[in-house]
Amino acid sequence: PQQTRILTSSCFSIALDFASKEMAPHMAEWDEKEIFPVETMRKAAQLGFGGIYVKPDVGGSGLSRLDTSIIFEALSTGCTSTTAYMSIHNMCVWMIDTFGSEEQRRRFCPSLCSMEKFASYCLTEPGSGSDAASLLTSAQRKGDTYVLNGSKAFISGGGDTDVYVVMCRTGGPGPKGISCLVLEKGTPGLSFGKKEKKVGWNSQPTRAVIFEDCVVPVGNRLGAEGQGFSIAMKGLNGGRINIASCSLGAAHASVLLAQEHLTVRKQFGEPLANNQYLQFGLAEMEGREDAAVLCSMAKLFATDECFAICNQALQMHGGYGYLKDYAVQQFVRDIRVHQILEGTNEVMRMIVARNLLQG
């Protein structure tokens, strides 16, 4: 409908303006100094970007998944790393909003939507990455509490965030033994590993999250016991679309940087833009087909193709593209991990192949 198109266009325009004015000028500094830009994200939350697809009665914007994708694509042109964290935060708030009780929704969501508090998603473990159903972090029921033990690896925001949505084993082996608990920073027994040194995604801290006899109220469980794996996967379905959108934004920004560089930079007395080979390359970067609508296909397609676009944009800068003075290298570094997280692209291919083979 026309109204939906107007709303989506407005979302893109607002987010693109915010990215240009509030994020892009600071992107390199956040990367270099490994700054978690809390105040900038809180400004973004004032525009409704802290709980984009969360219901309005708990402070969310109540927008569609399409609007969400458009917003993350636009924000990612300003800083892919920061936007990717915001997408994870939004996923966590949506999980509480969707699967939590009314009491949980009203206790956690308003401060998360305003980004007064920040959230982290805790699924991956040192010994279980894409094989999430094999996780070992345990939560033993003791009366009205669970006692949580184990650890999670590569957690975005870990140590700097306030709320942790944790997948843990409350039952037997396999996915049906997994439940979902919400922990708050300051819980006795909750600690964090060292801050990881990463190739990209440097504006968001990444640490191990460690649980040693953490006592968590049963009232902090999302859904029923054994529902955790389903909650985790439904969250990841949206997360994969979000990461695909972040990749599109990085690719869009990189194409614009390449266009500008080819116009300004001269070789043999002529702008590089006059070089026919580079013209062909630029045309190929712009002419990618639309991704399929299914989440795994979208994540696989967009992250692979957009990394190739960013990488080609760097190539077009020549040696300048390898210098940190030029933003294109940061898009390449930040986008590389998109082919790994939210399920590796090898796993995405397995999911797509399985669906095809099942007819």
Side-chain angles (χ1 to χ4, degrees):
Q2 181 68 21
Q3 186 178 4
T4 301
R5 287 198 295 271
I6 292 172
L7 179 59
T8 300
S9 175
S10 175
C11 288
F12 185 77
S13 177
I14 292 169
L16 198 63
D17 185 64
F18 184 85
S20 173
K21 294 177 180 176
E22 301 289 345
M23 299 174 78
H26 309 291
M27 183 179 86
E29 181 187 10
W30 294 342
D31 175 72
E32 184 69 26
K33 298 180 180 178
E34 300 184 2
I35 295 170
F36 192 41
V38 167
E39 293 308 319
T40 299
M41 289 190 287
R42 285 177 177 155
K43 286 183 182 179
Q46 290 175 10
L47 297 174
F49 299 157
I52 301 171
Y53 48 108
V54 172
K55 297 182 189 70
D57 68 318
V58 288
S61 298
L63 297 179
S64 70
R65 292 289 186 152
L66 174 59
D67 294 320
T68 303
S69 292
I70 292 293
I71 288 167
F72 285 141
E73 179 182 347
L75 291 177
S76 199
T77 64
C79 181
T80 301
S81 169
T82 303
T83 306
Y85 168 74
M86 290 174 64
S87 81
I88 294 167
H89 172 88
N90 270 265
M91 178 177 70
C92 291
V93 191
W94 174 83
M95 292 167 73
I96 296 172
D97 180 42
T98 303
F99 300 102
S101 65
E102 280 303 304
E103 186 276 330
Q104 290 169 334
R105 292 177 68 245
R106 298 190 184 282
R107 175 159 46 117
F108 291 113
C109 290
S111 59
L112 292 172
C113 289
S114 68
M115 284 187 156
E116 174 192 340
K117 294 184 177 180
F118 295 90
S120 290
Y121 178 73
C122 301
L123 175 64
T124 301
E125 296 186 357
S128 64
S130 295
D131 183 17
S134 67
L135 65 84
L136 298 176
T137 295
S138 66
Q140 293 187 332
R141 179 80 178 258
K142 291 190 176 180
D144 292 332
T145 65
Y146 289 100
V147 179
L148 188 63
N149 282 283
S151 64
K152 300 292 181 178
F154 310 121
I155 303 305
S156 292
D160 282 49
T161 49
D162 309 282
V163 174
Y164 297 84
V165 180
V166 182
M167 305 306 152
C168 52
R169 190 164 298 285
T170 54
K176 293 183 179 179
I178 296 172
S179 298
C180 179
L181 299 179
V182 180
L183 271 74
E184 296 179 79
K185 191 174 184 180
T187 299
L190 174 63
S191 63
F192 307 95
K194 66 178 178 63
K195 185 178 175 182
E196 303 288 357
K197 300 293 290 183
K198 307 189 298 291
V199 171
W201 270 29
N202 289 318
S203 70
Q204 50 169 295
T206 300
R207 295 183 178 89
V209 178
I210 303 160
F211 315 103
E212 296 176 295
D213 291 331
C214 286
V215 178
V216 186
V218 171
N220 280 30
R221 187 187 68 219
L222 294 185
E225 274 200 8
Q227 197 181 351
F229 188 75
S230 173
I231 292 172
M233 292 303 104
K234 287 176 180 175
L236 280 180
N237 280 340
R240 287 164 183 166
I241 295 293
N242 294 344
I243 287 298
S245 301
C246 291
S247 299
L248 287 171
H252 175 75
S254 295
V255 168
L256 294 180
L257 290 171
Q259 288 174 333
E260 180 183 10
H261 182 75
L262 295 182
T263 303
V264 172
R265 176 78 173 148
K266 289 185 176 181
Q267 286 285 357
F268 307 108
E270 288 191 22
L272 287 176
N274 291 351
N275 183 295
Q276 191 176 57
Y277 174 79
L278 292 175
Q279 290 173 357
F280 290 163
L282 197 61
E284 288 174 3
M285 289 158 65
E286 291 277 18
R288 306 288 177 170
E289 293 181 4
D290 290 338
V293 295
L294 296 177
C295 297
S296 295
M297 295 177 72
K299 195 265 184 182
L300 170 63
F301 182 93
T303 56
D304 277 353
E305 294 298 306
C306 292
F307 178 77
I309 288 171
C310 292
N311 198 43
Q312 184 63 30
L314 186 151
Q315 188 74 14
M316 287 182 172
H317 281 71
Y320 293 98
Y322 211 63
L323 302 179
K324 285 199 170 182
D325 292 338
Y326 288 75
V328 68
Q329 52 76 31
Q330 188 173 336
F331 284 113
V332 173
R333 290 187 291 108
D334 283 343
I335 203 176
R336 179 59 182 88
V337 75
H338 295 187
Q339 294 166 292
I340 297 171
L341 52 81
E342 310 286 36
T344 67
N345 281 11
E346 288 74 19
V347 169
M348 298 302 99
R349 289 183 175 89
M350 289 169 55
I351 292 171
V352 172
R354 190 180 303 130
N355 286 342
L356 289 172
L357 292 172
Q358 290 174 349

